[in-house]
Amino acid sequence: MATAIAHPNIALVKYWGKQSGSGNLPATPSVSITVAGLTTTTRVVAADRDSLRIDGQVRRDSKVNALFDAMQDAFELPPISIETRNDFPTGAGLASSASGFAALVTAIDGEFDLGLTPQERSAWSRRGSASAARSIFGGFATLASGDGTWTATELLAKDAWPLEVVIAVTAETPKPVSSSEGMERSRTTSPFYDAWCRSTEADFETACRAVAERDFGSLSEVAEHSCLKLHALMLSSRPALLYWNQATIKAIETVRRLREAGTPVFYTIDAGPQVKAVCAPGQGGGVAAVLARSPGVLRVARGGLGDGARIADDTRRRD
Ligand code: DP6
């Protein structure tokens, strides 16, 4: 039996849209931070037949099945029983699929002694969910193409620039349209899709430079731009993808007001209504206290930058 833990990551330059063909390859490069404080724990054990439990409920998941079938073929694995738990809402825009697939691949690697490198675990995770490729790494990570292949890498270690994250939870319910379905809808129906793909390369370069230079102002500007551009793309899809609620907009206003008053903070939002405030080191407490009082915010979660996916039991740790 092997147990792995992984944290979600929050994209600062977003991935939305896939290339045609197999392998779940993104159409655009992305930059993210891995966030401690939210954790997926996944236990894998060889069994008589495949089974999956998420937060105690028996589930069937076509993405998990497809990934596991591919790994079974590649490594001649027996059936497995998977038990996974999130200490945060599943499928509500908190990147549970990212931490989920990163933890699953890491646990399979541990259980069957596959000896995969972090890059290999990342590539397998990407096949389950592209954002999961980034959760194999801690701190700041990228998912980009180089030499014709798409790989995730660590851009900067978490301790090199210990940004803090405050998540304003505005709804605990699962999102109405999954990311995979939503991005396919945007690709096939939005008149903005080509512009999104063309312009994201420059955002990616800007964000990588901002991280390398620890330039919070530049990172704030490009991250909010990428976020709003993503949601403009979603809104221009048919039928429109509207993931926000009223509390989402209020929380955006709250973050803007905080920044105008001098707090180094910016917001980003994924395929869900939660607002993630990213702030300079030492600012998390103050930002959390203000966001907790923003109208409609149910609760806030706080975290620093986290480590990449790993085996929970240190004796079986591989990276
Ligand atoms: C808005 O990685 O969940 O969070 O590859 O289809 O599983 P699939 O999509 P997924 O999409 C993440 C979308 C996003 C932006 C991001 O994380 O880059």
Side-chain angles (χ1 to χ4, degrees), residues 158-194:
K158 66 184 173 88
D159 298 331
W161 197 20
L163 300 184
E164 295 180 37
V165 178
V166 178
I167 299 173
V169 177
T170 67
E172 307 266 13
T173 46
K175 58 191 164 204
V177 180
S178 73
S179 296
S180 305
E181 193 185 330
M183 62 180 76
E184 182 57 10
R185 189 185 296 179
S186 297
R187 186 182 73 79
T188 52
T189 65
S190 171
F192 299 165
Y193 185 74
D194 289 345

Side-chain angles (χ1 to χ4, degrees), residues 227-261:
C227 164
L228 294 178
K229 193 162 53 179
L230 169 67
H231 286 274
L233 175 67
M234 291 164 162
L235 289 171
S236 64
S237 305
R238 286 180 160 168
L241 296 159
L242 174 54
Y243 287 108
W244 298 1
N245 59 33
Q246 292 183 40
T248 311
I249 297 182
K250 291 281 181 203
I252 291 174
E253 288 169 358
T254 302
V255 171
R256 285 183 161 185
R257 265 202 309 278
L258 270 167
R259 187 165 60 231
E260 277 158 23

Side-chain angles (χ1 to χ4, degrees), residues 1-311:
M1 178 184 305
T3 302
I5 59 176
H7 305 296
N9 66 79
I10 296 174
L12 305 183
V13 171
K14 309 290 188 189
Y15 142 62
W16 194 257
K18 299 175 196 291
Q19 293 181 31
S20 54
S22 60
N24 200 30
L25 297 174
T28 58
S30 52
V31 178
S32 65
I33 48 178
T34 299
V35 183
L38 307 177
T39 304
T40 297
T41 305
T42 299
R43 202 181 66 179
V44 158
V45 62
D48 295 339
R49 58 183 179 84
D50 291 337
S51 67
L52 170 66
R53 270 174 190 269
I54 301 178
D55 293 331
Q57 306 280 327
V58 176
R59 296 275 290 272
R60 294 190 66 79
D61 184 304
S62 55
K63 285 180 164 184
V64 171
N65 289 348
L67 176 67
F68 186 58
D69 284 352
M71 291 189 83
Q72 259 168 332
D73 282 353
F75 302 107
E76 298 181 357
L77 304 179
I80 57 168
S81 154
I82 304 166
E83 262 197 63
T84 186
R85 284 192 182 275
N86 294 318
D87 65 1
F88 57 95
T90 302
L94 289 172
S96 54
S97 68
S99 50
F101 280 106
L104 176 61
V105 169
T106 302
I108 291 173
D109 178 40
E111 169 67 358
F112 299 107
D113 286 324
L114 302 183
L116 300 179
T117 63
Q119 291 293 345
E120 288 168 332
R121 283 188 288 125
S122 177
W124 279 108
S125 304
R126 190 205 64 231
R127 292 167 68 138
S129 188
S131 55
R134 302 182 308 235
S135 274
I136 293 294
F137 299 96
F140 297 78
T142 59
L143 176 58
S145 77
D147 307 331
T149 58
W150 279 77
T151 46
T153 42
E154 184 184 282
L155 181 62
L156 189 71
K158 66 184 173 88
D159 298 331
W161 197 20
L163 300 184
E164 295 180 37
V165 178
V166 178
I167 299 173
V169 177
T170 67
E172 307 266 13
T173 46
K175 58 191 164 204
V177 180
S178 73
S179 296
S180 305
E181 193 185 330
M183 62 180 76
E184 182 57 10
R185 189 185 296 179
S186 297
R187 186 182 73 79
T188 52
T189 65
S190 171
F192 299 165
Y193 185 74
D194 289 345
W196 160 259
C197 290
R198 269 199 314 279
S199 61
T200 296
E201 192 67 44
D203 297 342
F204 177 77
E205 297 300 334
T206 303
C208 289
R209 207 168 34 244
V211 170
E213 294 170 358
R214 288 26 155 212
D215 182 342
F216 192 84
S218 167
L219 189 61
S220 306
E221 208 279 327
V222 73
E224 288 191 356
H225 174 65
S226 178
C227 164
L228 294 178
K229 193 162 53 179
L230 169 67
H231 286 274
L233 175 67
M234 291 164 162
L235 289 171
S236 64
S237 305
R238 286 180 160 168
L241 296 159
L242 174 54
Y243 287 108
W244 298 1
N245 59 33
Q246 292 183 40
T248 311
I249 297 182
K250 291 281 181 203
I252 291 174
E253 288 169 358
T254 302
V255 171
R256 285 183 161 185
R257 265 202 309 278
L258 270 167
R259 187 165 60 231
E260 277 158 23
T263 303
V265 58
F266 64 87
Y267 63 83
T268 188
I269 304 159
D270 293 299
Q274 331 300 0
V275 176
K276 292 117 182 192
V278 181
C279 35
Q283 303 290 333
V287 169
V290 175
L291 265 176
R293 293 196 303 273
S294 189
V297 169
L298 304 175
R299 61 187 178 87
V300 293
R302 254 184 86 186
L305 300 192
D307 290 315
R310 57 208 179 273
I311 291 292

